[in-house]
């Protein structure tokens, strides 16, 4: 089933379910205007809006309407007074693949949006939607996640007859990614898609990450956790594109690039640097710049381009290129064809991990000297094709078989475009450094710290986590010194002002705002001249200058729950006005009672012993009439739930032998509420170095987390998993635990798990090898490959490696078993899966088995009108899902194509008429 919700924070607009990431909520609740002291004098950072399912970005039309897009696939419209319209402009959640970093990431309004209504989206395509939409078997709430897919760009038209608040039916037009073969390949969980913006010439500019593994030097294949083989089988990439991070250098692939396409047709433009007139939709025809790792956010410098697409001058593109752990980059693309060097370089230096690793060949660049004069290199590799610039003229790349011969132009040799600025990662490349490029006495590029006298860029040293493009300030509300300046952003929590000249040369960097925690997007309001930014807490905040800033309301309560009647002491004395104006106070206790005291007391009660909640609102007003508000929930006859995650322990060590599914379960109790009345939300955060990637939350009492086998290298990886449980009266509790990679040799190896029906029971038996310090084994059972239940535990033994367990109450239908081994140092590992149908069923068949390209499913007699077929890999992760309509009472037969699957063992599940059959299917080469 599709999980159509954001992957971090949910808020309240128009009755939406509230679910706040607890420590961020606490932080912002206690510090709603934090940052005043971090801004220049007379600048103010104030809350503007919240209430979205994790917004990814926001922009404005010329009239001041705000458009906010959510990762799950919705676009909301906000009027100029800050009111969110009750229905989204567009809900694309059925089509969007929302998992790990993927989802709806880019959004742009057409420059003529107010007249033509066009807007453009960049998103990950759900493979289930792609294969099933429009067919009788399509189900809107079905999805296929954690599978290779593509990034797609589509255009929609807002309906002018409805004030452009809805989309014209049938107006969707796919510009890029209409087929799996020509989208932006996505077969790893992170740094896939980025931004979509307009050039000044009306062309569409799209940024895409390299989509490769961050677990090591990825040069292709599946070894570092990517799904390259599945992407090849699905036709998403061709074998020549399987080059890992070097896809950023490959002109036959869209990853690691800035793309430039016609906003009407989606074709590449003849003024693009590698345009092929015979194939205007090919990757090389659409590429503008390349050699980028993760250009998640890009912005165009106003007034820097031509208005003619034929001129090939869309404008200067400012790129925040997120680093791999060492250096963050600010890049500027001023013309077509620029190569920014990744993965050969990172920051201003050679990328050492890739430098000592084999460089794959570029199959678009055959070596004309091959098999002549002893030359055994059939193709140039990517390092052959790029040189670094020199101040005395660009060097010429030469043939490695004969350094007197230049590499021919048709192989597209390039000269690196140097980053404007590189700064160090705050956790993994200390101390804090910010570097400008200069040439040494030998005309080689070297870095110089910007606080040194010889640096061409002036400023204090700084660092960060993830470089994000910001905005050029074009308003007139800020002082004149800021007009035309570039406001750059980093996810670590800062906004800095970069002083560029008209030739895009950077001269100075200065601090502007050093307290914008987990900022992810920045935009300028076209009419009020203020800056608005988003953070991972789901807030939109406003940075303004001068005038009368609103006061800060701070509410304290000595208790927020208890038996009724409940006396609560409130205190607003921590509230303040930035201009030191006198404040007045107004309390609304949510029960029809009010107060104007600074420190009121209030008695809450009801006429029964049942739980009841009251929302208390505090409004503070300054002498000029500006107001600030804050609220608190008081719950009487109620206590918060008690929550303890018990399916794993804090500090457990996950296996690096294969991808696995971690069972998520908890002991939960509530003194006043029934279990079925509680709301559950699991949140999974994959940590990489000093930042994290949130997963979409799961609103189920029990769930599972996909654990990728990453860790133990030079970089740090781990998972943080939280469960928040909320009762109907508004009280909630969150438990959080983390697991880390097991960097020791495996403590156990399972030989096999067997299951045998014996009467009304099922006997399990397993054997182990290399068993060392096993504390105990958990016996787990599932009916769907995903939700495993704990059946029992068996202690590890030193004298015997054969174990048995009797399932006395097997499920009617499918029983899927696995064994989880836990060591005395809290490492864990899993056995193979084993499936038992109970009682045994003989009314269906899947043949042949083993199979290669196709299998045939036969069911003797149907009991329902739908047949569901699902295929899972050895870890229980979905690999295929299909559904067909059928006629009850009839036999059923269907040929199923398996030619896109990797060779190996899979498990199938067939559901129809309330019956479920499962078994093993082997796909051979």
């Amino acid at each position: 089933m599709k999980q159509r919700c954001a992957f971090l924070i949910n808020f309240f607009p128009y009755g939406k379910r509230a679910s706040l990431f607890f420590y961020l909520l606490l932080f912002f609740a206690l510090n709603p205007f934090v940052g005043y002291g971090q801004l220049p004098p007379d600048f103010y950072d104030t809350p503007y809006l919240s209430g979205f399912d994790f917004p990814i970005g926001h922009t404005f039309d010329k009239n001041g309407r705000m458009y906010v897009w959510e990762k799950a696939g919705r676009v909301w419209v906000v009027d100029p007074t800050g009111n969110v319209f009750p229905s989204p402009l567009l809900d694309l959640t059925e089509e969007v693949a929302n998992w790990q970093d993927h989802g709806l990431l880019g959004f742009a309004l057409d420059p003529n949006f107010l007249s033509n209504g066009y807007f453009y989206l960049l998103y990950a395509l759900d493979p289930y939607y792609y294969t099933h939409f429009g067919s009788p078997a399509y189900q809107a709430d079905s999805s296929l996640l954690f599978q290779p897919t593509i990034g797609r760009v589509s255009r929609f038209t807002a309906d002018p007859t409805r004030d452009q608040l809805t989309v014209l039916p049938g107006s969707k037009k796919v510009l890029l990614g209409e087929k799996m073969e020509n989208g932006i390949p996505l077969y790893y969980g992170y740094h896939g898609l980025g931004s979509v913006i307009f050039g000044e010439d009306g062309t569409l500019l799209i940024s895409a990450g390299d989509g490769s593994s961050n677990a090591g030097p990825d040069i292709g294949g599946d070894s570092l956790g990517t799904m390259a083989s599945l992407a090849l089988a699905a036709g998403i990439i061709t074998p020549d594109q399987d080059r890992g991070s070097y896809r950023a250098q490959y002109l036959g692939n869209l990853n690691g690039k800035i793309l430039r396409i016609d906003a009407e047709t989606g074709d590449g433009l003849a003024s693009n640097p590698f345009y092929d007139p015979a194939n205007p939709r090919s990757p090389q025809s659409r590429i503008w710049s390349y050699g980028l790792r993760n250009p998640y956010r890009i912005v165009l410098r106003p007034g820097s381009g031509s208005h003619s697409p034929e001129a090939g001058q869309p404008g200067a593109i400012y790129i925040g290129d997120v680093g791999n752990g060492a250096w963050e980059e600010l890049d500027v693309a001023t013309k077509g064809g620029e190569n920014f060097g990744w993965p050969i370089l990172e920051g201003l230096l050679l990328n050492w991990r890739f430098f000592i690793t084999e460089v794959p060949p570029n199959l678009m660049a055959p070596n004309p000297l091959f098999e002549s004069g002893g030359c055994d290199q059939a193709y140039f590799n990517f390092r052959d094709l790029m040189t670094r610039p020199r101040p005395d003229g660009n060097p010429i790349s030469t043939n490695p078989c004969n350094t007197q011969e230049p590499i021919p132009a048709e192989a597209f040799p390039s000269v690196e475009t140097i980053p404007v600025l590189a700064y160090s990662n705050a956790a993994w490349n200390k101390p804090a450094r910010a570097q400008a490029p200069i040439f040494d006495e030998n005309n080689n590029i070297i870095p110089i710290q910007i606080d040194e006298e010889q640096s061409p860029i002036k400023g204090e040293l700084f660092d960060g986590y993830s470089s994000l493009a910001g905005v050029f300030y074009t308003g007139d509300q800020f002082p004149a010194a800021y007009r035309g300046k570039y406001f750059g952003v980093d996810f670590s929590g800062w906004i800095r002002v970069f002083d560029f000249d008209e030739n895009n040369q950077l001269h100075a960097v200065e601090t502007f705002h050093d307290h914008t925690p987990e900022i992810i997007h920045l935009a300028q309001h076209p009419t009020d001249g203020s800056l608005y930014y988003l953070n991972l807490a789901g807030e939109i905040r406003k940075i303004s200058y001068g005038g009368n800033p609103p006061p800060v309301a701070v509410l304290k309560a000595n208790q927020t729950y208890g038996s009724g009647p409940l006396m609560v002491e409130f205190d607003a004395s921590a509230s303040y006005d930035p201009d030191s104006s006198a404040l007045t106070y107004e309390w609304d206790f949510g029960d029809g009672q009010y107060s104007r005291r600074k420190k009121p007391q209030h008695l809450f009660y009801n006429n029964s012993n049942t739980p009841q909640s009251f929302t208390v609102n505090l409004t503070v007003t300054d002498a000029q009439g500006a107001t600030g508000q804050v609220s608190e929930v008081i719950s009487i006859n109620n206590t918060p739930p008690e929550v303890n995650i018990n399916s794993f322990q804090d500090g457990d060590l996950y296996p690096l032998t294969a991808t696995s599914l971690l069972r998520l379960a908890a002991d939960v109790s509530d003194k006043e509420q029934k279990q079925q009345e509680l709301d559950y939300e699991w949140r999974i955060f994959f940590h990489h170095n000093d930042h994290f990637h949130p997963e979409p939350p799961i609103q189920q009492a029990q769930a599972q987390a996909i654990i990728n086998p990453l860790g133990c290298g030079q970089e740090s990886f781990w998972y943080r998993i939280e469960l928040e449980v909320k009762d109907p009266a508004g009280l909630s509790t969150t438990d959080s635990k983390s697991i880390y990679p097991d960097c020791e040799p495996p403590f156990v190896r399972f030989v096999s798990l067997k299951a045998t029906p014996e009467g009304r029971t099922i006997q399990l038996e397993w054997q182990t090898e290399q068993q060392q310090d096993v504390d105990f084994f958990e016996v787990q059972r599932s009916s769907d490959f995903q939700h495993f239940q704990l059946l029992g535990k068996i202690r590890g033994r030193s004298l015997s490696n054969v174990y048995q367990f009797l399932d006395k109450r097997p499920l009617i239908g499918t029983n899927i078993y696995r064994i989880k081994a836990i060591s005395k140092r809290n490492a864990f590992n899993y056995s193979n899966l084993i499936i038992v149908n109970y009682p045994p069923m003989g009314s269906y068949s899947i043949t042949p088995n083993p199979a290669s390209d196709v299998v045939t499913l036969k069911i003797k007699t149907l009991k329902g009108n739908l047949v569901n077929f699902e295929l899972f890999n050895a870890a229980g992760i979905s690999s295929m899902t299909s559904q067909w309509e059928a006629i009850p009472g009839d036999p059923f037969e269907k040929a199923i194509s398996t030619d896109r699957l990797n060779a190996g063992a899979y498990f199938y599940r067939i559901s129809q008429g309330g019956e479920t059959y499962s078994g093993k299917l082997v796909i051979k080469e």
Side-chain angles (χ1 to χ4, degrees), residues 78 180 465 482 682 791:
V78 184
M180 284 288 177
Y465 296 166
Y482 292 101
W682 291 93
L791 297 184

Side-chain angles (χ1 to χ4, degrees), residues 741-753:
D742 182 9
C743 299
E744 300 293 327
F747 68 95
V748 67
R749 188 173 76 85
F750 287 92
V751 176
S752 64
L753 169 64

